[in-house]
Amino acid sequence: MAVQSVESTPSASVSLGPAVALSCRECGERFDLGPIFACVSCFGPLEVAYDLPAGDPEGLRERIEAGPNSIWRYAPLLPVPADVADKPNLNPGLTKLVKADNLARELGVTGGLYVKDDSGNPTHSFKDRVVAIAVEAARAFGFTTLSCSSTGNLAGAVGAAAARAGFRSCVFIPHDLEAGKVVMAAVYGGELVGIEGTYDDVNRFCSELIGDPLGEGWGFVNVNLRPYYGEGSKTLAYEICEQLGWRLPDQIVIPIASGSQLTKIDKGLKELIALGLVEDRPYKIFGAQAEGCSPVSTAFKAGHDVVRPQKPDTIAKSLAIGNPADGPYVLDIARRTGGAVEDVDDAQVVDAIKLLARTEGIFAETAGGVTVGVTKKLIENGLLDPALTTVVLNTGDGLKTLDAVAPTTGPSATIRPSLEAFRAAGLAG
Ligand SMILES: *Cc1c(COP(=O)(O)O)cnc(C)c1O
Protein backbone atom coordinates (compact mmCIF):
# COMPACT_ATOMS: atom_id res chain seq x y z
CA MET A 1 0.00 0.00 0.00
CA ALA A 2 2.70 2.48 0.98
CA VAL A 3 4.82 1.57 -2.01
CA GLN A 4 1.98 2.16 -4.43
CA SER A 5 1.41 5.62 -2.99
CA VAL A 6 5.03 6.54 -3.41
CA GLU A 7 5.01 5.46 -7.06
CA SER A 8 2.30 8.02 -7.76
CA THR A 9 4.53 10.96 -6.73
CA PRO A 10 3.63 13.92 -8.96
CA SER A 11 5.93 16.67 -10.18
CA ALA A 12 7.51 18.84 -7.51
CA SER A 13 6.25 22.18 -8.75
CA VAL A 14 3.57 22.80 -6.09
CA SER A 15 3.89 25.64 -3.63
CA LEU A 16 2.16 25.52 -0.26
CA GLY A 17 3.24 28.60 1.70
CA PRO A 18 6.06 27.93 4.18
CA ALA A 19 6.01 24.13 3.54
CA VAL A 20 9.24 23.03 1.87
CA ALA A 21 9.13 19.23 1.88
CA LEU A 22 7.73 16.11 3.46
CA SER A 23 10.03 14.41 5.92
CA CYS A 24 9.90 10.92 7.39
CA ARG A 25 9.14 10.87 11.10
CA GLU A 26 11.26 7.73 11.51
CA CYS A 27 14.39 8.18 9.36
CA GLY A 28 14.22 11.88 8.43
CA GLU A 29 14.44 11.27 4.66
CA ARG A 30 12.95 14.16 2.68
CA PHE A 31 10.54 14.11 -0.26
CA ASP A 32 9.05 16.75 -2.55
CA LEU A 33 5.57 17.95 -1.58
CA GLY A 34 3.04 15.57 -3.10
CA PRO A 35 0.11 13.26 -2.30
CA ILE A 36 2.26 10.70 -0.51
CA PHE A 37 2.20 9.61 3.09
CA ALA A 38 4.79 6.88 3.67
CA CYS A 39 8.57 6.85 3.37
CA VAL A 40 9.96 4.79 0.46
CA SER A 41 12.94 3.73 2.56
CA CYS A 42 11.42 2.74 5.91
CA PHE A 43 7.60 3.07 5.44
CA GLY A 44 7.52 5.62 8.31
CA PRO A 45 4.79 8.30 8.21
CA LEU A 46 5.61 11.56 6.43
CA GLU A 47 5.03 14.99 7.89
CA VAL A 48 5.29 18.52 6.56
CA ALA A 49 8.63 20.29 7.03
CA TYR A 50 8.74 24.08 6.95
CA ASP A 51 10.81 27.14 6.54
CA LEU A 52 9.01 29.07 9.31
CA PRO A 53 9.20 32.85 9.75
CA ALA A 54 11.71 32.94 12.64
CA GLY A 55 13.53 35.92 14.15
CA ASP A 56 10.73 38.44 14.75
CA PRO A 57 8.25 36.99 17.26
CA GLU A 58 6.69 40.37 18.04
CA GLY A 59 6.06 41.08 14.34
CA LEU A 60 4.64 37.59 13.77
CA ARG A 61 2.35 37.87 16.78
CA GLU A 62 0.99 41.18 15.45
CA ARG A 63 0.54 39.75 11.98
CA ILE A 64 -1.43 36.81 13.39
CA GLU A 65 -3.58 39.02 15.61
CA ALA A 66 -4.45 41.23 12.63
CA GLY A 67 -5.40 38.18 10.52
CA PRO A 68 -8.82 36.62 9.77
CA ASN A 69 -11.04 35.27 12.57
CA SER A 70 -10.36 31.69 11.51
CA ILE A 71 -7.47 29.23 11.30
CA TRP A 72 -6.18 31.32 8.38
CA ARG A 73 -4.67 33.83 10.82
CA TYR A 74 -1.99 31.14 11.23
CA ALA A 75 -1.41 30.71 7.46
CA PRO A 76 2.28 31.69 7.87
CA LEU A 77 2.69 28.45 9.90
CA LEU A 78 0.59 26.14 7.69
CA PRO A 79 1.04 24.32 4.34
CA VAL A 80 -1.35 26.66 2.51
CA PRO A 81 -0.94 29.46 -0.04
CA ALA A 82 -0.73 33.00 1.38
CA ASP A 83 -4.07 33.98 -0.24
CA VAL A 84 -5.87 30.96 1.24
CA ALA A 85 -8.53 33.05 3.01
CA ASP A 86 -9.76 34.36 -0.37
CA LYS A 87 -10.52 30.87 -1.71
CA PRO A 88 -13.95 29.29 -1.24
CA ASN A 89 -13.75 27.46 2.07
CA LEU A 90 -15.62 27.14 5.37
CA ASN A 91 -13.23 29.34 7.40
CA PRO A 92 -13.13 27.06 10.44
CA GLY A 93 -11.44 27.70 13.76
CA LEU A 94 -11.07 30.44 16.31
CA THR A 95 -13.59 28.56 18.43
CA LYS A 96 -14.26 29.57 22.01
CA LEU A 97 -11.89 28.87 24.86
CA VAL A 98 -14.38 28.81 27.72
CA LYS A 99 -13.14 29.48 31.27
CA ALA A 100 -15.02 26.68 32.99
CA ASP A 101 -15.20 27.92 36.59
CA ASN A 102 -18.27 25.89 37.51
CA LEU A 103 -16.76 22.67 36.22
CA ALA A 104 -13.48 23.58 37.94
CA ARG A 105 -15.28 23.92 41.28
CA GLU A 106 -16.98 20.57 40.74
CA LEU A 107 -13.69 18.83 39.87
CA GLY A 108 -11.59 20.66 42.46
CA VAL A 109 -9.38 22.40 39.90
CA THR A 110 -7.88 25.57 41.36
CA GLY A 111 -5.27 26.45 38.73
CA GLY A 112 -7.75 27.50 36.03
CA LEU A 113 -9.80 25.14 33.87
CA TYR A 114 -10.71 25.85 30.25
CA VAL A 115 -12.79 24.01 27.68
CA LYS A 116 -11.67 24.49 24.08
CA ASP A 117 -15.06 24.06 22.43
CA ASP A 118 -14.63 22.88 18.86
CA SER A 119 -18.32 22.10 18.49
CA GLY A 120 -18.45 25.70 17.23
CA ASN A 121 -16.85 24.79 13.90
CA PRO A 122 -18.90 24.90 10.65
CA THR A 123 -19.85 21.20 10.71
CA HIS A 124 -19.72 21.04 14.51
CA SER A 125 -16.51 19.15 15.06
CA PHE A 126 -12.78 19.73 15.06
CA LYS A 127 -12.53 17.91 11.70
CA ASP A 128 -13.22 21.16 9.77
CA ARG A 129 -9.68 22.26 10.71
CA VAL A 130 -7.89 19.28 9.22
CA VAL A 131 -10.11 19.12 6.14
CA ALA A 132 -9.53 22.80 5.34
CA ILE A 133 -5.78 22.17 5.07
CA ALA A 134 -6.24 18.94 3.08
CA VAL A 135 -8.48 20.79 0.60
CA GLU A 136 -5.69 23.26 -0.16
CA ALA A 137 -3.32 20.35 -0.80
CA ALA A 138 -5.96 18.69 -3.02
CA ARG A 139 -6.28 21.91 -5.05
CA ALA A 140 -2.50 22.16 -5.40
CA PHE A 141 -2.18 18.54 -6.56
CA GLY A 142 -5.05 18.81 -9.04
CA PHE A 143 -7.46 16.33 -7.43
CA THR A 144 -11.12 16.68 -8.42
CA THR A 145 -12.73 14.26 -5.95
CA LEU A 146 -12.36 14.45 -2.18
CA SER A 147 -12.70 11.30 -0.14
CA CYS A 148 -12.00 9.86 3.31
CA SER A 149 -12.51 6.97 5.65
CA SER A 150 -14.44 8.37 8.58
CA THR A 151 -15.73 7.56 12.04
CA GLY A 152 -18.50 10.09 11.28
CA ASN A 153 -17.42 13.66 11.79
CA LEU A 154 -14.83 13.62 9.03
CA ALA A 155 -17.40 12.50 6.46
CA GLY A 156 -19.55 15.57 7.19
CA ALA A 157 -16.57 17.89 7.20
CA VAL A 158 -15.37 16.58 3.82
CA GLY A 159 -18.88 16.72 2.32
CA ALA A 160 -19.36 20.34 3.38
CA ALA A 161 -15.88 21.51 2.39
CA ALA A 162 -16.18 19.81 -1.01
CA ALA A 163 -19.57 21.41 -1.63
CA ARG A 164 -18.22 24.87 -0.87
CA ALA A 165 -14.91 24.47 -2.71
CA GLY A 166 -16.41 22.86 -5.81
CA PHE A 167 -15.07 19.32 -5.53
CA ARG A 168 -16.95 16.09 -6.06
CA SER A 169 -16.97 14.04 -2.84
CA CYS A 170 -17.32 10.35 -2.06
CA VAL A 171 -16.84 9.40 1.57
CA PHE A 172 -16.82 6.07 3.39
CA ILE A 173 -18.17 5.29 6.88
CA PRO A 174 -18.89 2.21 8.98
CA HIS A 175 -22.55 1.30 8.25
CA ASP A 176 -23.65 1.48 11.90
CA LEU A 177 -22.94 5.13 12.84
CA GLU A 178 -25.23 7.45 14.80
CA ALA A 179 -28.15 8.87 12.74
CA GLY A 180 -26.92 12.42 13.35
CA LYS A 181 -23.55 11.63 11.83
CA VAL A 182 -25.05 9.88 8.80
CA VAL A 183 -27.42 12.78 8.06
CA MET A 184 -24.61 15.31 8.49
CA ALA A 185 -22.45 13.31 6.09
CA ALA A 186 -25.16 13.00 3.43
CA VAL A 187 -26.86 16.39 3.48
CA TYR A 188 -24.16 18.25 1.55
CA GLY A 189 -24.97 16.26 -1.58
CA GLY A 190 -21.82 14.16 -2.08
CA GLU A 191 -21.70 10.39 -2.30
CA LEU A 192 -21.82 8.58 1.05
CA VAL A 193 -21.01 4.88 1.24
CA GLY A 194 -21.64 2.73 4.32
CA ILE A 195 -19.21 -0.16 4.63
CA GLU A 196 -20.22 -3.33 6.42
CA GLY A 197 -17.39 -3.43 8.94
CA THR A 198 -15.52 -1.39 11.55
CA TYR A 199 -13.64 1.85 10.89
CA ASP A 200 -10.46 -0.19 10.55
CA ASP A 201 -12.13 -2.17 7.73
CA VAL A 202 -13.21 1.10 6.08
CA ASN A 203 -9.66 2.42 6.30
CA ARG A 204 -8.18 -0.73 4.80
CA PHE A 205 -10.71 -0.55 1.96
CA CYS A 206 -9.73 3.07 1.23
CA SER A 207 -6.05 2.14 1.12
CA GLU A 208 -6.89 -0.47 -1.53
CA LEU A 209 -8.95 2.06 -3.47
CA ILE A 210 -6.00 4.47 -3.61
CA GLY A 211 -3.87 1.83 -5.26
CA ASP A 212 -6.59 0.99 -7.80
CA PRO A 213 -7.58 2.82 -11.01
CA LEU A 214 -11.04 3.23 -9.39
CA GLY A 215 -9.52 5.79 -7.01
CA GLU A 216 -7.49 7.62 -9.64
CA GLY A 217 -7.55 11.40 -9.14
CA TRP A 218 -9.03 11.10 -5.66
CA GLY A 219 -7.64 12.98 -2.68
CA PHE A 220 -8.29 10.95 0.47
CA VAL A 221 -7.91 13.64 3.10
CA ASN A 222 -6.75 11.26 5.84
CA VAL A 223 -4.79 8.80 3.67
CA ASN A 224 -2.83 10.17 0.69
CA LEU A 225 -3.27 13.75 1.96
CA ARG A 226 -2.68 12.75 5.60
CA PRO A 227 0.54 14.74 6.11
CA TYR A 228 -1.32 17.97 5.22
CA TYR A 229 -4.55 16.99 7.00
CA GLY A 230 -2.62 16.42 10.22
CA GLU A 231 -1.24 19.95 10.19
CA GLY A 232 -4.76 21.35 10.71
CA SER A 233 -4.65 20.13 14.30
CA LYS A 234 -1.72 22.44 15.04
CA THR A 235 -4.21 25.32 14.91
CA LEU A 236 -5.75 24.06 18.16
CA ALA A 237 -2.39 24.56 19.86
CA TYR A 238 -1.97 28.01 18.31
CA GLU A 239 -5.47 29.14 19.28
CA ILE A 240 -5.27 27.87 22.84
CA CYS A 241 -1.99 29.70 23.45
CA GLU A 242 -3.13 32.92 21.74
CA GLN A 243 -6.42 32.85 23.67
CA LEU A 244 -4.48 32.40 26.94
CA GLY A 245 -2.58 35.61 26.06
CA TRP A 246 0.28 33.89 24.20
CA ARG A 247 0.93 31.50 27.06
CA LEU A 248 1.32 27.72 27.16
CA PRO A 249 -1.22 25.87 29.31
CA ASP A 250 0.35 23.58 31.90
CA GLN A 251 -1.81 20.58 31.00
CA ILE A 252 -3.98 19.63 28.00
CA VAL A 253 -6.42 16.72 27.80
CA ILE A 254 -6.91 15.51 24.21
CA PRO A 255 -9.09 12.70 22.81
CA ILE A 256 -7.41 9.94 20.80
CA ALA A 257 -8.86 8.23 17.74
CA SER A 258 -5.91 7.74 15.36
CA GLY A 259 -3.77 9.96 17.62
CA SER A 260 -3.12 12.49 14.85
CA GLN A 261 -4.70 15.41 16.68
CA LEU A 262 -2.68 14.83 19.84
CA THR A 263 0.65 14.49 18.05
CA LYS A 264 0.05 17.63 15.96
CA ILE A 265 -1.02 19.72 18.94
CA ASP A 266 2.34 18.82 20.46
CA LYS A 267 4.04 19.79 17.18
CA GLY A 268 2.21 23.14 17.21
CA LEU A 269 3.23 23.89 20.80
CA LYS A 270 6.86 23.11 19.99
CA GLU A 271 6.73 25.46 16.99
CA LEU A 272 5.35 28.30 19.10
CA ILE A 273 8.22 27.82 21.54
CA ALA A 274 10.83 27.60 18.76
CA LEU A 275 9.50 30.80 17.15
CA GLY A 276 9.53 32.64 20.48
CA LEU A 277 5.76 33.26 20.37
CA VAL A 278 5.36 31.75 23.85
CA GLU A 279 7.75 31.37 26.76
CA ASP A 280 9.47 27.99 26.87
CA ARG A 281 7.97 26.20 29.88
CA PRO A 282 7.12 22.55 30.49
CA TYR A 283 3.65 21.37 29.53
CA LYS A 284 2.00 17.98 30.00
CA ILE A 285 -0.10 16.23 27.38
CA PHE A 286 -2.79 13.76 28.42
CA GLY A 287 -4.59 11.40 26.04
CA ALA A 288 -8.18 10.27 26.54
CA GLN A 289 -9.88 7.13 25.23
CA ALA A 290 -13.08 5.19 25.83
CA GLU A 291 -12.54 1.90 27.65
CA GLY A 292 -14.29 0.03 24.81
CA CYS A 293 -11.60 1.23 22.41
CA SER A 294 -8.50 1.89 24.46
CA PRO A 295 -5.47 0.45 22.64
CA VAL A 296 -3.28 3.44 23.50
CA SER A 297 -4.20 3.79 27.18
CA THR A 298 -3.81 0.01 27.58
CA ALA A 299 -0.26 0.22 26.17
CA PHE A 300 0.51 3.29 28.26
CA LYS A 301 -0.55 1.64 31.50
CA ALA A 302 1.32 -1.57 30.66
CA GLY A 303 4.50 0.38 29.94
CA HIS A 304 4.56 -0.90 26.33
CA ASP A 305 5.93 0.95 23.29
CA VAL A 306 3.80 -1.08 20.90
CA VAL A 307 0.05 -0.53 20.58
CA ARG A 308 -1.93 -3.75 20.17
CA PRO A 309 -5.06 -3.37 18.00
CA GLN A 310 -8.50 -3.82 19.59
CA LYS A 311 -11.99 -4.41 18.24
CA PRO A 312 -13.96 -1.31 19.29
CA ASP A 313 -17.14 -1.52 21.34
CA THR A 314 -18.10 1.88 22.74
CA ILE A 315 -20.66 4.67 22.39
CA ALA A 316 -17.74 7.02 21.60
CA LYS A 317 -17.86 6.06 17.93
CA SER A 318 -15.93 9.09 16.71
CA LEU A 319 -12.93 7.74 18.66
CA ALA A 320 -13.47 4.08 17.75
CA ILE A 321 -10.23 3.34 15.90
CA GLY A 322 -8.92 -0.02 17.05
CA ASN A 323 -5.57 0.27 15.26
CA PRO A 324 -4.49 3.91 15.70
CA ALA A 325 -1.81 4.97 13.20
CA ASP A 326 -0.21 7.49 15.56
CA GLY A 327 -0.52 5.39 18.71
CA PRO A 328 3.23 4.91 19.33
CA TYR A 329 3.87 8.65 18.89
CA VAL A 330 1.12 9.42 21.40
CA LEU A 331 2.84 7.14 23.92
CA ASP A 332 6.14 8.98 23.34
CA ILE A 333 4.56 12.40 23.84
CA ALA A 334 2.60 11.46 26.96
CA ARG A 335 5.74 9.96 28.51
CA ARG A 336 8.12 12.72 27.39
CA THR A 337 5.92 15.53 28.72
CA GLY A 338 5.04 13.78 31.99
CA GLY A 339 1.40 13.30 30.99
CA ALA A 340 -0.60 10.08 30.80
CA VAL A 341 -3.18 8.21 28.73
CA GLU A 342 -6.35 7.15 30.53
CA ASP A 343 -9.77 5.76 29.65
CA VAL A 344 -13.32 5.84 31.00
CA ASP A 345 -16.23 3.48 30.44
CA ASP A 346 -19.42 4.35 28.57
CA ALA A 347 -21.42 5.13 31.73
CA GLN A 348 -18.69 7.58 32.79
CA VAL A 349 -18.78 9.14 29.30
CA VAL A 350 -22.51 9.78 29.66
CA ASP A 351 -22.07 11.17 33.19
CA ALA A 352 -19.33 13.49 31.94
CA ILE A 353 -21.43 14.77 29.01
CA LYS A 354 -24.14 15.66 31.53
CA LEU A 355 -21.63 17.15 33.99
CA LEU A 356 -20.26 19.52 31.32
CA ALA A 357 -23.77 20.44 30.17
CA ARG A 358 -25.00 21.01 33.74
CA THR A 359 -21.98 23.10 34.83
CA GLU A 360 -21.05 25.07 31.70
CA GLY A 361 -23.99 24.89 29.28
CA ILE A 362 -21.86 23.02 26.73
CA PHE A 363 -23.43 19.97 25.11
CA ALA A 364 -20.54 17.77 23.99
CA GLU A 365 -20.61 14.72 21.82
CA THR A 366 -19.34 11.45 23.27
CA ALA A 367 -15.71 12.39 22.53
CA GLY A 368 -16.14 15.42 24.83
CA GLY A 369 -17.59 13.10 27.46
CA VAL A 370 -14.42 11.04 27.12
CA THR A 371 -12.09 14.01 27.73
CA VAL A 372 -14.10 15.44 30.62
CA GLY A 373 -14.53 11.98 32.18
CA VAL A 374 -10.83 11.25 31.81
CA THR A 375 -9.93 14.63 33.32
CA LYS A 376 -12.02 13.78 36.38
CA LYS A 377 -10.40 10.35 36.65
CA LEU A 378 -6.87 11.75 36.24
CA ILE A 379 -7.50 14.20 39.09
CA GLU A 380 -8.86 11.40 41.28
CA ASN A 381 -5.85 9.16 40.62
CA GLY A 382 -3.39 12.01 41.12
CA LEU A 383 -1.95 12.12 37.59
CA LEU A 384 -3.35 15.54 36.69
CA ASP A 385 -2.44 18.42 39.02
CA PRO A 386 -5.55 20.46 39.90
CA ALA A 387 -3.38 23.43 40.89
CA LEU A 388 -2.15 23.90 37.30
CA THR A 389 -3.78 25.60 34.30
CA THR A 390 -5.63 22.89 32.39
CA VAL A 391 -7.31 22.87 28.97
CA VAL A 392 -9.80 20.12 28.10
CA LEU A 393 -10.85 19.68 24.48
CA ASN A 394 -14.44 19.23 23.39
CA THR A 395 -14.10 18.17 19.79
CA GLY A 396 -17.71 17.66 18.76
CA ASP A 397 -21.39 18.53 19.21
CA GLY A 398 -23.81 16.58 21.41
CA LEU A 399 -26.59 17.05 18.86
CA LYS A 400 -24.83 14.48 16.67
CA THR A 401 -24.79 11.82 19.40
CA LEU A 402 -28.20 12.28 21.03
CA ASP A 403 -28.60 8.53 21.50
CA ALA A 404 -25.82 8.54 24.10
CA VAL A 405 -27.82 10.62 26.56
CA ALA A 406 -31.41 10.14 25.35
CA PRO A 407 -32.09 7.07 27.53
CA THR A 408 -31.19 8.96 30.73
CA THR A 409 -32.51 12.44 29.97
CA GLY A 410 -35.96 13.81 29.28
CA PRO A 411 -38.78 15.88 30.69
CA SER A 412 -39.02 16.24 34.48
CA ALA A 413 -42.73 15.64 34.11
CA THR A 414 -45.44 15.50 31.45
CA ILE A 415 -48.64 17.06 32.69
CA ARG A 416 -52.03 18.41 31.65
CA PRO A 417 -51.95 22.20 31.00
CA SER A 418 -53.30 23.17 34.45
CA LEU A 419 -51.83 24.80 37.53
CA GLU A 420 -53.20 22.00 39.61
CA ALA A 421 -51.30 19.41 37.61
CA PHE A 422 -48.13 21.50 37.82
CA ARG A 423 -48.50 21.85 41.61
CA ALA A 424 -48.98 18.10 41.88
CA ALA A 425 -45.73 17.53 39.93
CA GLY A 426 -43.82 19.22 42.76
CA LEU A 427 -41.63 21.39 40.52
CA ALA A 428 -42.62 24.90 41.66
CA GLY A 429 -40.20 27.25 43.45
C1 LIG B 1 -11.61 12.57 14.64
C2 LIG B 1 -11.98 13.02 16.00
C3 LIG B 1 -11.02 13.15 17.03
C4 LIG B 1 -9.55 12.83 16.96
O1 LIG B 1 -9.11 12.08 15.95
P1 LIG B 1 -7.57 11.69 15.71
O2 LIG B 1 -7.69 10.64 14.67
O3 LIG B 1 -7.01 11.20 17.00
O4 LIG B 1 -6.90 12.91 15.22
C5 LIG B 1 -11.46 13.64 18.24
N1 LIG B 1 -12.74 13.96 18.44
C6 LIG B 1 -13.68 13.86 17.49
C7 LIG B 1 -15.07 14.25 17.82
C8 LIG B 1 -13.33 13.39 16.23
O5 LIG B 1 -14.29 13.30 15.29
Side-chain angles (χ1 to χ4, degrees):
M1 156 191 113
V3 174
Q4 284 164 348
S5 75
V6 167
E7 283 168 353
S8 67
T9 310
S11 72
S13 56
V14 303
S15 166
L16 287 169
V20 292
L22 295 176
S23 79
C24 175
R25 258 198 281 182
E26 289 299 321
C27 74
E29 187 168 344
R30 287 200 163 208
F31 302 88
D32 292 331
L33 296 172
I36 55 172
F37 57 99
C39 175
V40 244
S41 302
C42 75
F43 302 117
L46 302 181
E47 69 177 348
V48 179
Y50 295 93
D51 183 10
L52 291 180
D56 179 18
E58 204 45 58
L60 180 54
R61 229 180 267 144
E62 282 170 18
R63 190 172 151 200
I64 290 169
E65 286 170 358
N69 288 329
S70 70
I71 60 170
W72 304 133
R73 65 207 279 111
Y74 308 105
L77 311 179
L78 296 169
V80 294
D83 64 347
V84 61
D86 301 331
K87 298 181 187 254
N89 80 93
L90 297 172
N91 296 300
L94 220 63
T95 55
K96 288 175 192 157
L97 182 71
V98 178
K99 186 137 193 295
D101 290 340
N102 299 329
L103 180 62
R105 222 169 293 121
E106 193 99 11
L107 296 180
V109 175
T110 54
L113 181 64
Y114 297 82
V115 175
K116 179 60 172 168
D117 188 10
D118 249 13
S119 67
N121 274 311
T123 69
H124 304 267
S125 90
F126 113 93
K127 289 296 196 300
D128 293 316
R129 298 175 182 275
V130 285
V131 169
I133 310 291
V135 166
E136 294 313 312
R139 274 195 239 267
F141 302 144
F143 289 125
T144 51
T145 297
L146 286 181
S147 185
C148 67
S149 54
S150 172
T151 56
N153 284 316
L154 185 58
V158 167
R164 175 117 176 100
F167 288 79
R168 177 176 181 258
S169 71
C170 181
V171 300
F172 299 92
I173 55 172
H175 68 108
D176 61 349
L177 289 185
E178 305 94 333
K181 297 268 171 74
V182 176
V183 171
M184 278 291 282
V187 76
Y188 303 105
E191 310 294 341
L192 172 70
V193 180
I195 300 276
E196 292 165 3
T198 66
Y199 171 80
D200 297 282
D201 296 318
V202 178
N203 203 37
R204 211 173 311 116
F205 167 79
C206 285
S207 297
E208 280 178 42
L209 192 49
I210 286 171
D212 191 276
L214 283 172
E216 186 106 33
W218 288 28
F220 288 78
V221 301
N222 59 337
V223 191
N224 58 355
L225 299 175
R226 189 172 181 82
Y228 311 93
Y229 162 98
E231 297 298 291
S233 290
K234 295 194 307 180
T235 60
L236 274 165
Y238 302 155
E239 288 180 18
I240 288 167
C241 290
E242 185 182 351
Q243 288 170 321
L244 287 174
W246 293 108
R247 222 164 39 81
L248 289 167
D250 299 313
Q251 308 177 119
I252 310 187
V253 185
I254 303 168
I256 301 166
S258 72
S260 171
Q261 184 185 30
L262 186 147
T263 60
K264 299 307 181 187
I265 287 175
D266 180 59
K267 185 180 182 188
L269 295 175
K270 287 199 288 194
E271 287 173 352
L272 294 182
I273 293 169
L275 291 168
L277 291 178
V278 296
E279 190 192 340
D280 187 2
R281 304 193 295 129
Y283 59 84
K284 294 184 182 187
I285 291 197
F286 296 86
Q289 296 207 291
E291 187 183 287
C293 182
S294 53
V296 188
S297 66
T298 302
F300 181 87
K301 291 184 214 173
H304 294 162
D305 296 329
V306 175
V307 174
R308 287 184 52 193
Q310 291 181 1
K311 188 154 167 51
D313 179 15
T314 170
I315 59 168
K317 292 178 193 265
S318 58
L319 304 181
I321 298 185
N323 188 12
D326 289 289
Y329 299 107
V330 169
L331 293 173
D332 280 352
I333 291 166
R335 288 178 179 138
R336 171 171 54 76
T337 63
V341 187
E342 186 53 274
D343 55 82
V344 284
D345 66 29
D346 284 356
Q348 290 169 314
V349 172
V350 172
D351 285 348
I353 291 173
K354 291 184 182 175
L355 173 64
L356 181 61
R358 169 165 68 74
T359 53
E360 300 298 341
I362 296 171
F363 185 21
E365 79 144 84
T366 46
V370 168
T371 50
V372 171
V374 160
T375 302
K376 182 166 186 280
K377 190 164 173 184
L378 287 167
I379 293 168
E380 285 162 6
N381 63 21
L383 293 172
L384 191 133
D385 186 343
L388 297 178
T389 305
T390 303
V391 175
V392 179
L393 299 196
N394 172 39
T395 48
D397 192 324
L399 288 173
K400 289 200 226 179
T401 59
L402 286 174
D403 285 355
V405 287
T408 55
T409 50
S412 303
T414 303
I415 59 170
R416 281 177 288 103
S418 77
L419 293 177
E420 187 193 351
F422 184 60
R423 189 179 304 110
L427 295 169

